[in-house]
Amino acid sequence: MASLPSGSGFTRRSLIGAGVSAAAVGLLAACSTGAGSGGSGGSGGGSTLKFWNMPWGPQAFLTEDKRIVGAYTPPKGQGSVSYQQIQWANFTQTFSTAVAGNTNPAVSSGGGTTAFLFEKQGKIQHLDSMLSGSDWTSLKADFLPNLLDTMKTPNGYAAVPYNLDMRLFWYRKDLLDSVGATPPTTWDEFETACKKLKTKGIYGYGTYSGAGAFTGGHTLVAHMINNGGGLFNANQEVDAVTDANVQAIEWVLGLVQSGYVDPRSAAYTSANAYTQMNANKFGMIWDGAGTKANVNKTVADNLFVGDPLTGPSGQKGALYFPNNIFIFKANNPSITGSEDFLTYYYKNMKTLWTKQTGIGLPPLKSIATAAYANDPASTKIINQWQPISKTWGAPGQNTVFYNVTKVDGTQPMIAFAQSVLGGSLKGKAGAVKALTTLQNALKSA
């Protein structure tokens, strides 16, 4: 098993992508207290409110998260809050079963699209009223650029951003220096760096798209967004075969054909990719924010966050995933109490990051400033990559919505990434073929 990611990269995607099985991720959730065990926070009258949270980090996260919840004192007349950590293994079924059986929590996190699945079913409390309250004036101003509005649906805000998973590229400064290459800032410069790295048998475009590893597909969509494209139009419909997308995928196919991509990448897990990095075989890699935690110290010391690339369209862009917290309307003893607790939680959650508990990147500028004062890599990701990143909804919208559940980690996207990285497709015709197959599969999903 690969070492577990830590720091700002410890998310469900990085856990499973690192070769950790869903069952093992679930086991992680059961550390010490066990998934399903809980502790109550605060005291007071009224019915107890259930707070479900996911294992966003190792034991340190669970310990600190329970401490924060335990310190909550509800207003007079409102119920206390119980804490339960939910396993990633079969988590969608866990939520669906709970909603169907009226045993769901009042407040919860989940997968990045969980709230939007249940919002479509009318089970979610929209948070517009809470967000317009005076307690949220400073909090709203503190969110990272354009982040809060990724949660907005036609009916209102379905959730509040909680932690972020990013897609960006890292480069090995020592390996680039060894071939006289400079860190790229455009697609052309990236290709030039790859060409120089190849002279020493080093792959410039590090990626992975094997079993349980979704990063390869994420990165391909990130390139589309970088070129002004993406998978969805303004009507939230799949619209993948566009000029911008074709150009992006044609560019990657060119890298593959030129030998700049490890030919085994289509079958690599993240553990395989990190092994290649430790073996000095990857000069650059497209990955998440926690990459440095997964390689040896020598590699980590020479690993730097690249600048967002400028695409042929003259644009910058990338893909990110705003994980979130939401309130269930169904089977909720107190919406008011839920909103009060959620407000408290956001005002007091900073230590999840300042104590380095392993949760993903923070949603608030003030937390990032405090947590990353001595972390130039995470600071650069927050300052340079987050503002130009968009959700799966690009280019039509920079929001999360129900239809993206067809894309994230699904078989059509896995097959798409493996076809592009597999080496059999070439040029514009190959790009059109791959995108058409993806579009047809998503439309029939």
Side-chain angles (χ1 to χ4, degrees):
M1 180 186 299
S3 60
L4 294 178
S6 62
S8 57
F10 197 107
T11 67
R12 175 178 176 261
R13 285 187 182 82
S14 57
L15 279 170
I16 297 178
V20 184
S21 69
V25 176
L27 179 62
L28 177 68
C31 288
S32 181
T33 60
S37 68
S40 62
S43 59
S47 300
T48 298
L49 298 174
K50 293 189 291 185
F51 174 51
W52 286 7
N53 208 357
M54 310 305 294
W56 297 110
Q59 181 62 38
F61 170 82
L62 178 60
T63 299
E64 183 61 15
D65 202 40
K66 289 184 70 174
R67 184 199 67 78
I68 294 169
V69 175
Y72 172 64
T73 302
K76 185 177 181 180
Q78 295 292 344
S80 59
V81 174
S82 65
Y83 186 98
Q84 184 170 341
Q85 192 173 72
I86 301 300
Q87 298 181 15
W88 282 119
N90 302 315
F91 79 99
T92 299
Q93 182 179 348
T94 299
F95 278 89
S96 297
T97 300
V99 170
N102 293 319
T103 59
N104 57 270
V107 184
S108 188
S109 71
T113 58
T114 302
F116 301 88
L117 172 65
F118 291 111
E119 195 267 347
K120 185 176 178 66
Q121 300 176 16
K123 305 293 186 180
I124 295 296
Q125 172 69 25
H126 293 101
L127 303 178
D128 300 60
S129 177
M130 181 191 76
L131 292 171
S132 65
S134 58
D135 284 333
W136 280 84
T137 301
S138 59
L139 283 171
K140 285 192 296 183
D142 199 15
F143 276 99
L144 296 171
N146 305 312
L147 181 57
L148 182 58
D149 279 347
T150 63
M151 303 287 103
K152 193 171 186 178
T153 74
N155 299 315
Y157 288 93
V160 184
Y162 179 36
N163 67 79
L164 311 179
D165 191 10
M166 310 284 296
R167 290 296 171 265
L168 55 134
F169 90 90
W170 298 80
Y171 66 88
R172 282 278 302 273
K173 185 178 185 303
D174 55 338
L175 296 183
L176 289 183
D177 287 348
S178 72
V179 296
T182 56
T185 61
T186 67
W187 287 16
D188 287 344
E189 290 176 5
F190 186 91
E191 193 164 352
T192 297
C194 287
K195 184 176 182 179
K196 291 183 177 181
L197 288 166
K198 186 182 178 182
T199 63
K200 286 197 172 182
I202 301 169
Y203 298 109
Y205 186 100
T207 189
Y208 50 98
S209 192
F214 309 128
T215 297
H218 295 162
T219 301
L220 296 179
V221 176
H223 299 327
M224 299 178 202
I225 295 172
N226 190 177
N227 201 36
L231 296 179
F232 292 93
N233 61 28
N235 295 320
Q236 300 181 359
E237 300 166 336
V238 177
D239 189 12
V241 191
T242 65
D243 290 343
N245 291 349
V246 170
Q247 186 176 28
I249 300 306
E250 184 180 5
W251 178 63
V252 178
L253 291 175
L255 299 178
V256 172
Q257 292 300 317
S258 296
Y260 304 152
V261 182
D262 189 329
R264 296 164 295 185
S265 294
Y268 274 169
T269 64
S270 62
N272 299 138
Y274 298 141
T275 296
Q276 289 293 78
M277 293 184 70
N278 288 336
N280 302 324
K281 299 299 291 184
F282 280 3
M284 297 180 283
I285 186 170
W286 293 89
D287 202 23
T291 304
K292 291 183 74 168
N294 295 288
V295 294
N296 65 44
K297 186 178 185 304
T298 299
V299 173
D301 288 346
N302 285 282
L303 200 59
F304 293 83
V305 175
D307 293 341
L309 300 181
T310 300
S313 65
Q315 300 186 52
K316 296 180 180 180
L319 176 68
Y320 77 151
F321 312 96
N323 298 306
N324 49 77
I325 293 183
F326 48 93
I327 294 176
F328 276 101
K329 177 169 58 178
N331 189 41
N332 191 325
S334 173
I335 296 297
T336 300
S338 299
E339 292 178 346
D340 184 83
F341 166 70
L342 191 56
T343 301
Y344 158 84
Y345 188 84
Y346 270 72
K347 288 183 175 180
N348 291 274
M349 66 182 185
K350 178 173 71 173
T351 52
L352 293 174
W353 287 271
T354 57
K355 291 186 178 181
Q356 300 180 356
T357 67
I359 192 172
L361 296 167
L364 302 180
K365 291 175 284 189
S366 61
I367 295 178
T369 299
Y372 303 141
N374 299 310
D375 184 350
S378 294
T379 298
K380 183 173 183 177
I381 294 169
I382 288 290
N383 291 340
Q384 295 190 24
W385 283 89
Q386 187 279 326
I388 56 93
S389 294
K390 295 184 178 180
T391 69
W392 283 116
Q397 298 181 12
N398 187 25
T399 58
V400 184
F401 45 82
Y402 176 74
N403 274 352
V404 305
T405 61
K406 301 176 182 180
V407 179
D408 192 7
T410 63
Q411 187 56 42
M413 277 300 300
I414 294 170
F416 168 67
Q418 293 178 343
S419 71
V420 172
L421 299 174
S424 62
L425 300 175
K426 298 180 181 179
K428 184 174 182 179
V432 170
K433 180 179 179 180
L435 288 164
T436 300
T437 301
L438 173 63
Q439 178 168 282
N440 291 339
L442 292 176
K443 286 186 174 181
S444 64

